[in-house]
Amino acid sequence: MPDEHTMKVHLSYGDKTIELPVLNGTDGPSVLDIRSLYAQTGLLTFDPGFTSTASCESSITFIDGDEGRLLYRGYPIQELVQQSDFIEVAYLLLYGELPTLSERARFSEDVTYHTLVHEQISAFYNGFRRDAHPMAVMVGVVGALSAFYHDSLDIHDANLREIASFRLIAKMPTLAAMAYKYSIGQPFVYPKNELSYAANLLRMMFAVPSENYIVNPVLERAMDLILVLHADHEQNASTSTVRLAGSSAANPFACVASGIAALWGPAHGGANEAVLAMLSEIATKERIPEFIKRAKDKNDPFRLMGFGHRIYKNFDPRATIMRQTCHEVLNELGIKNDPLLDLAMELEKIALEDDYFIERKLYPNVDFYSGIILRAMQIPVSMFTVIFAVARTVGWVAQWREMITDPLQKIGRPRQLYCGKKERRFIPVEKRGR
Ligand code: ACO
């Protein structure tokens, strides 16, 4: 439970003054507890997009958007990237502490044990058009997992929640790789449990039965880093979607499918794909000013993809790490002159010097660079958001578990400011004069 601050906010409305408590977390802004507001005043609050609303209490991830800080369970993302790996970070997000050696080994084995999917699941893929977007496939197939694992759907049983968590985290890379293989007409590749989580994903995507496939350690490390950086990001759109779906006691597979749907949008996880599309459209450095001009034009819906963030009003720390890695990966892969990367660097430079972007604190976000790295790793553009979904599944699952065990948890049910017609009488069709 958060500490109740000694401070109160006094709110006067009409002839009434009420007192609302201020609650303190361990870091970040305090919150005004408005739970009694409606009962005391008959007023609701109005906050489209939740720009000033804390929707829950959470101990998992902390973002300081002004300082550009990101902590998983208190650990700075930079330290985790340098000293840890995805499987450890997954454990940390789920259980709150870094694992001991034996806990790590056990967790890794538990996740590995669940990597295979039921053979019948492959039949689902055949139902999709070959050119279906893999995110469309993922929404369907992950949702369909609830039809395969009846034995882990009881969300009130802690043991079953644990099994469902392992299943989701373990099977996501398998399902993601299957979506890719299906799209290019290659046979599905089964997981190989001796490999790391990242290496397994790469192998299932790129191996073919006719040849040996050895995972490039540079790519494995880069993939692991991408997974760590995307593992959780507090109450973003997709995580809030998972929590909202879960608040009605929906099963975790259905909840994660709803998270995947929310992630797909270009304003959220779909941005890494949109960045590449935008760079291809800009095509040459000479055309950058034209696109910057469009981004600033209020009458033009165009936005610079990969720029701006609801919370970060300083550099996104994930973007800083990704930017460094981007150069390392390109160097290691021997990609000396990548025209798209050159274009991206020029765009970044011009945007960072432009008053419009400076005034609005619009910095490149993680998606600006992740697309470039993923492309260098030969991951097809349509799979970018799928990789993001694989990583974020850990965060979704951790947040879902936290919600289920939260004594304050209630079904999520926002209110509205109704601006429609007042009550009126029905008009029979023959009397409708329009
Ligand atoms: N290009 C041009 N202008 C922008 C951009 C952009 N990318 N982002 C924000 N702005 C402008 C807005 O027009 C607005 O200007 P105004 O004050 O003159 O009206 C101002 O900056 C504030 O923008 P909002 O839309 O109010 O900011 P919000 O917090 O709602 O949106 C978002 C954040 C959705 C990320 C937005 O910056 C955006 O659309 N960015 C591009 C898409 C993108 O990269 N998304 C990935 C986010 S990170 C992730 O999900 C992992």
Side-chain angles (χ1 to χ4, degrees), residues 61 105 296 299 348:
T61 293
K296 296 197 273 189
N299 299 317
E348 180 205 48

Side-chain angles (χ1 to χ4, degrees), residues 49 51 230 233 236-237 263 265-272 274-275 292 294-298 301-313 316 318 356-357 360-368 388 392:
T51 54
H230 289 86
H233 214 226
N236 54 81
L263 186 73
H268 190 10
N272 50 17
V275 168
I292 298 262
R294 282 186 61 195
K296 296 197 273 189
D297 181 356
K298 292 282 157 246
F302 175 78
R303 282 187 164 196
L304 269 198
M305 298 317 286
F307 275 78
H309 196 276
R310 169 60 62 76
I311 310 289
Y312 292 120
K313 301 303 171 197
D316 177 342
R318 302 167 304 168
Y356 174 95
F357 290 87
R360 289 168 182 74
K361 300 186 173 165
L362 298 170
Y363 293 91
N365 56 48
V366 65
D367 290 322
F368 188 70
F388 191 161
R392 187 54 59 83

Side-chain angles (χ1 to χ4, degrees), residues 195-352:
L195 296 178
S196 73
Y197 195 88
N200 218 350
L201 172 58
L202 288 168
R203 186 179 164 278
M204 286 189 288
M205 282 186 72
F206 296 120
V208 285
S210 42
E211 281 180 33
N212 282 335
Y213 179 83
I214 296 166
V215 182
N216 177 334
V218 177
L219 300 190
E220 179 181 354
R221 177 69 197 132
M223 179 56 83
D224 192 82
L225 179 129
I226 288 168
L227 296 174
V228 169
L229 289 182
H230 289 86
D232 194 45
H233 214 226
E234 54 120 304
Q235 308 312 319
N236 54 81
S238 57
T239 302
S240 296
T241 303
V242 170
R243 279 188 178 255
L244 194 57
S247 77
S248 72
N251 75 69
F253 304 104
C255 294
V256 169
S258 72
I260 297 172
L263 186 73
W264 191 4
H268 190 10
N272 50 17
E273 186 175 338
V275 168
L276 268 261
M278 176 189 75
L279 291 175
S280 304
E281 199 189 341
I282 299 177
T284 63
K285 288 184 190 172
E286 291 67 44
R287 293 187 68 202
I288 292 177
E290 178 196 325
F291 282 82
I292 298 262
K293 196 168 159 226
R294 282 186 61 195
K296 296 197 273 189
D297 181 356
K298 292 282 157 246
N299 299 317
D300 188 330
F302 175 78
R303 282 187 164 196
L304 269 198
M305 298 317 286
F307 275 78
H309 196 276
R310 169 60 62 76
I311 310 289
Y312 292 120
K313 301 303 171 197
N314 196 326
F315 237 87
D316 177 342
R318 302 167 304 168
T320 313
I321 298 168
M322 207 61 112
R323 190 177 192 272
Q324 287 159 6
T325 311
C326 196
H327 289 290
E328 282 162 24
V329 169
L330 293 176
N331 272 344
E332 297 254 14
L333 294 177
I335 303 173
K336 295 273 179 283
N337 297 312
D338 182 51
L340 230 51
L341 181 67
D342 289 349
L343 188 62
M345 293 304 129
E346 187 66 16
L347 180 65
E348 180 205 48
K349 189 167 153 282
I350 294 175
L352 288 176

Side-chain angles (χ1 to χ4, degrees), residues 55 86 90 115-116 196 198 270 278 285 301 343 350 354 405 416:
S55 61
F86 182 68
T115 48
L116 270 178
S196 73
M278 176 189 75
K285 288 184 190 172
L343 188 62
I350 294 175
D354 191 296
T405 51
Q416 63 172 7

